[in-house]
Amino acid sequence: MPRSVNHVASRARRKKILGFTRGYFGARKNVWTVAKNTWEKGLTYAYRDRKNKKRNFRALWIQRINAAARLEGMSYSKLMGALHKAGIEINRKVLADLAVNHPEAFKAVVAKVKAA
């Protein structure tokens, strides 16, 4: 009995991954094994960097808050400690946005913290 191979499914599977690698350089776009390895490695980079993105944004927010807090005569750590002690629940993302886009609102938050 002849060997039955489902060429339709295997070709579609390969074509799908070669479609994902469209625009890559050299053999990475059209040689099956190279393209598959490149695509899989790209998925691992994407997974890793979704985590790193959160880390990078948190670091950016902290730098912005620190710069704005120092203009008000406080360090970042003193400000965050005072916010916690005053019971003001505001996250770093919002605080950094206030520091950059609404400096008067940030000054009001710092004044409230200093008073408490």
Side-chain angles (χ1 to χ4, degrees), residues 4-108:
S4 174
V5 183
N6 190 355
H7 281 298
V8 176
S10 57
R11 186 180 298 116
R13 194 165 45 247
R14 288 190 190 109
K15 216 175 149 165
K16 182 175 75 171
I17 290 176
L18 287 173
F20 291 148
T21 60
R22 213 175 117 249
Y24 286 12
F25 183 81
R28 291 170 169 244
K29 69 174 166 282
N30 56 11
V31 176
W32 163 245
T33 50
V34 179
K36 185 171 185 287
N37 291 339
T38 304
W39 173 71
E40 285 176 346
K41 191 159 192 177
L43 290 180
T44 64
Y45 286 146
Y47 177 79
R48 179 197 70 191
D49 291 338
R50 280 196 297 275
K51 312 292 176 239
N52 287 354
K53 185 178 178 184
K54 295 163 182 61
R55 187 183 311 164
N56 291 339
F57 267 103
R58 184 182 169 96
L60 176 67
W61 297 331
I62 289 171
Q63 289 170 1
R64 287 178 174 175
I65 294 165
N66 191 22
R70 286 184 186 276
L71 291 175
E72 300 301 315
M74 285 183 99
S75 70
Y76 168 79
S77 62
K78 301 267 192 224
L79 175 66
M80 295 311 284
L83 277 170
H84 183 72
K85 195 177 285 185
I88 299 173
E89 294 290 324
I90 186 167
N91 65 16
R92 286 164 182 80
K93 181 178 178 181
V94 172
L95 207 54
D97 184 56
L98 288 178
V100 172
N101 297 322
H102 308 287
E104 64 285 340
F106 185 80
K107 285 180 185 175

